[in-house]
Amino acid sequence: DFRHFRETPHDTFSRIGPHPHSHPRAAMSASCPCAVVALACRAAAGVTPCRRARRATVARASTKLEQPACNEKGMYDGTVLFHVFPQLTPPTPIFSTFLEGALHVAEVAKSHPAYATAHFHEAHDSEKALRELPHGYLAMTLFSCAPEVLWTTFEDLKECLDIGHNGQTHHPLVCRETSAFPGPKSALAQAPHGKVRYAETDATVVVVINAGTNDDVEKSWTEWSGAEEARRVCGDESFLGATLHTCIDTEAKYTHVVRVELGNADDETVEAVVRHATTRCAKLVNGTDQSTKLANGDSTKNGFVVEAYRVAFNVEKKGTPAGALFAVRELQKKARENEKEKVAFEAKAAAKSAQA
C-alpha cells in the first residue's frame, strides 16, 4: 500500500516506511586521491544529498524484480548485516584511519551478488565520531539473500572484514528482521531491494543486546528497546517506527538489534529515548536498574549497547565509490554554506541601499 508515501518538491528520496517523515550520512579518509575525488564529483548523481529533502515516493512496482522485499510475515525477506564498532582505532598497517578501513569494507561489499544497499551510521552527537570514541559509527548493509548463505555466497566479504578492521574489536551481526512496531509490516519490507534510502536529518536509536536464554525478550522488545517510549514522546507525526532483528549466529557477541526511528526529533527527545532504553536494557540483562551509571559509562561490558545515530550516507551498488563519499558530502556542505553567505551578503547590501 503506497498511499502513505508523499512527494516532496525536492530531489529523489526514497523513504521506506508508511510515514510522512524520513531519515540518513558515511565518510572517507582524508588521504583520498584527487582522482577519486574528481570521480566522485562526476558521479555525484549516485550520492543521496541527505539534507535536501524529507521523503519522496517509492514508485509502484512494475516488474517482479521491483516488488517490495516482503516475506509472508510482512518482514524484510533478505539479510540485515549490522556491524558494531566498540573500537575505532586505525587498522594499521593496511589503513591509517578507521574510516579508511570501514569504507574499504563498504566498497568490497558492493561486489556481493546479493548486495542491495548500505547505510553508514554516524553518532547523533557528531563529536563522538570525530573523536573516534567507542560506537561513534555503525554500519548496516542489506542483502537480498537469506542470512544463512550470506558468507558462503561471497567468501571475500568475510575476509575483507578482517582486513578493514585489522586489530580492532568489532562485531558483524548477521540478522533476520523478525518484528515491526507498530506493524503489521516493516518499513524495509515495503520497498524493493536496492531502493532503500534514509535522510540525514532523522535520528535513530540503535539498541544491541545479548539477551542470553531469556525467552521473553522478543515478546517485550518494544518496551525494553524504547520503541513504545519513542512513539509516546515523538508523537505519530514524527515517530517512524521500530524493527527487531535477530542474529542467526549463536557464537555472536549479541543476540538482537533494534532500530528505533525518531524522525526529525530534537536532541532532548533523542536523549530521553536513549535513557529509557538504557534503563530497561540494564534491568533485562543484569536484573537491576543501573541507568544512572550506565548512561554515563560503557554499557558494552554489561551485554548491551544503546546509541543514537544519523545515517551519514546511503551506499548504492552503482555510483560514487564508497571511499569518495565523504569528499562529496564536504563539497555539498561547502556549497550550501557559500549559498547562505551569498544570500546574507545580498540582504545586507539591499538594506544599506534602502537606507541611502
Side-chain angles (χ1 to χ4, degrees):
D1 185 353
F2 289 89
R3 290 174 299 170
H4 297 286
F5 289 97
R6 304 199 306 188
E7 288 283 358
T8 73
H10 302 282
D11 275 292
T12 55
F13 267 103
S14 334
R15 162 59 189 145
I16 58 169
H19 226 285
H21 300 287
S22 58
H23 28 126
R25 308 193 254 156
M28 83 159 202
S29 157
S31 62
C32 176
C34 295
V36 175
V37 177
L39 174 61
C41 297
R42 292 197 296 272
V47 177
T48 304
C50 295
R51 290 193 184 277
R52 295 172 61 188
R54 297 300 308 286
R55 160 96 51 89
T57 300
V58 174
R60 183 176 295 276
S62 58
T63 70
K64 185 175 181 180
L65 291 177
E66 294 176 343
Q67 292 297 322
C70 185
N71 63 22
E72 66 280 1
K73 296 181 179 179
M75 299 295 107
Y76 181 65
D77 64 4
T79 299
V80 185
L81 174 63
F82 289 99
H83 207 163
V84 180
F85 306 118
Q87 270 189 323
L88 271 64
T89 53
T92 55
I94 304 172
F95 300 101
S96 59
T97 68
F98 168 82
L99 285 175
E100 276 190 72
L103 292 174
H104 164 75
V105 173
E107 189 63 31
V108 172
K110 290 161 68 174
S111 296
H112 193 295
Y115 179 92
T117 52
H119 310 282
F120 199 77
H121 295 52
E122 181 180 88
H124 187 265
D125 178 1
S126 58
E127 280 298 310
K128 189 167 187 175
L130 292 173
R131 294 169 58 193
E132 298 187 331
L133 298 178
H135 305 291
Y137 295 100
L138 175 102
M140 169 187 169
T141 310
L142 305 178
F143 299 88
S144 59
C145 64
E148 291 79 5
V149 300
L150 177 68
W151 302 127
T152 55
T153 304
F154 186 63
E155 294 181 357
D156 288 353
L157 179 59
K158 197 158 192 177
E159 182 179 339
C160 91
L161 292 182
D162 295 331
I163 295 173
H165 299 286
N166 183 53
Q168 298 172 4
T169 298
H170 64 106
H171 307 293
L173 305 174
V174 181
C175 296
R176 174 180 287 108
E177 191 177 71
T178 50
S179 188
F181 176 76
K185 292 183 178 181
S186 78
L188 282 180
Q190 296 182 63
H193 288 294
K195 299 298 183 181
V196 174
R197 306 290 183 274
Y198 292 96
E200 184 180 15
T201 51
D202 289 347
T204 299
V205 173
V206 178
V207 182
V208 187
I209 192 168
N210 187 337
T213 58
N214 189 330
D215 295 332
D216 294 329
V217 66
E218 294 192 5
K219 296 178 182 177
S220 61
W221 74 270
T222 58
E223 202 282 325
W224 57 256
S225 68
E228 293 178 19
E229 178 68 6
R231 189 182 190 184
R232 186 187 70 81
V233 297
C234 291
D236 288 340
E237 285 302 306
S238 177
F239 179 68
L240 298 175
T243 46
L244 171 70
H245 306 82
T246 303
C247 184
I248 68 162
D249 182 0
T250 57
E251 302 297 319
K253 169 77 172 177
Y254 301 103
T255 58
H256 297 83
V257 180
V258 177
R259 292 185 81 253
V260 183
E261 302 178 49
L262 310 182
N264 195 14
D266 57 37
D267 292 348
E268 184 176 344
T269 299
V270 175
E271 291 168 6
V273 176
V274 169
R275 284 195 303 269
H276 180 95
T278 301
T279 301
R280 298 305 189 273
C281 287
K283 193 169 185 178
L284 179 70
V285 174
N286 304 310
T288 58
D289 182 352
Q290 304 180 51
S291 58
T292 303
K293 177 181 178 182
L294 292 175
N296 299 310
D298 182 11
S299 60
T300 304
K301 298 176 182 178
N302 295 274
F304 66 92
V305 179
V306 180
E307 293 288 344
Y309 294 98
R310 297 184 191 278
V311 174
F313 271 113
N314 301 291
V315 186
E316 302 173 40
K317 191 172 182 70
K318 296 181 179 180
T320 305
L325 291 176
F326 181 71
V328 172
R329 183 177 67 167
E330 292 306 306
L331 290 172
Q332 292 171 342
K333 288 170 68 175
K334 186 64 177 176
R336 287 195 295 269
E337 291 170 3
N338 290 341
E339 183 62 26
K340 288 181 179 179
E341 290 177 1
K342 179 182 177 182
V343 170
F345 177 81
E346 291 176 348
K348 189 174 182 180
K352 283 186 177 181
S353 177
Q355 293 175 352

